[in-house]
Amino acid sequence: MPQYKPQEIPITVIDAETGGFNAKTQGSISVCAQNGNTRKSWIILPNPKLVYEDQALKINGFRLTSAPEGPRWEKDGKIPENQLTEEEAIKEIKDFLEAQSPSYLGGSNVAFDIRFLREMAVRVDKEKGTSYEEALSKGVFRR
């Protein structure tokens, strides 16, 4: 890996909209990440094992709705397309953040957002036998 001076390393900004403050019992609804002109966002399907507080939904503007495919998020009267399972989302988020390496992680409350991403990875790992949390902790979140 090339050597960089701190001022030469770009910043990847992340932001998560969540169903509350407890990353273990409440889920992420959406995650957005941007590094320069490269921006990606993900909407995560509602997880029936998690809680989404009404007050949190009022703040972030999402609403849980029914669709023929099952529960979905609605925002501004529309159901965003391409809502992903937690497994699909954490894989894409990990891949995106790794592709931005090296970079600093930044955001309004990045520790809060990372806590939710890490817990999502832990849930997926436990259910699917994957190692996303380890990959995130040793790579992306270690920076």
Side-chain angles (χ1 to χ4, degrees):
M1 176 193 268
Q3 294 297 315
Y4 293 92
K5 295 178 183 173
Q7 65 272 21
E8 295 174 341
I9 299 176
I11 296 173
T12 299
V13 177
I14 63 169
D15 182 47
E17 299 298 335
T18 67
F21 293 108
N22 187 327
K24 290 187 184 299
T25 61
Q26 298 167 320
S28 295
I29 298 169
S30 72
V31 177
C32 181
Q34 181 168 346
N35 184 320
N37 293 328
T38 305
R39 180 186 171 133
K40 180 79 174 142
S41 60
W42 303 268
I43 305 286
I44 297 112
L45 285 165
N47 181 333
K49 297 176 184 173
L50 300 175
V51 175
Y52 302 92
E53 291 183 6
D54 290 338
Q55 188 62 27
L57 299 180
K58 285 179 188 176
I59 291 169
N60 62 39
F62 281 92
R63 187 172 79 81
L64 193 55
T65 190
S66 295
E69 308 85 14
R72 296 288 187 270
W73 293 112
E74 179 183 300
K75 179 133 176 133
D76 301 325
K78 298 176 184 166
I79 298 175
E81 294 183 24
N82 301 323
Q83 297 188 33
L84 305 174
T85 65
E86 286 191 326
E87 181 181 15
E88 294 166 331
I90 201 66
K91 180 188 182 316
E92 287 191 17
I93 292 165
K94 179 189 83 63
D95 290 348
F96 178 88
L97 294 174
E98 285 179 343
Q100 307 311 310
S101 182
S103 73
Y104 292 113
L105 291 177
S108 176
N109 190 347
V110 75
F112 177 85
D113 297 336
I114 287 173
R115 196 165 48 248
F116 272 83
L117 293 175
R118 187 171 271 139
E119 285 301 323
M120 185 189 324
V122 167
R123 282 191 298 276
V124 169
D125 289 348
K126 188 174 183 179
E127 186 177 310
K128 304 290 183 176
T130 53
S131 57
Y132 290 115
E133 196 279 331
E134 181 180 356
L136 289 168
S137 293
K138 286 185 176 178
V140 174
F141 295 152
R142 217 176 122 223
R143 296 193 289 264

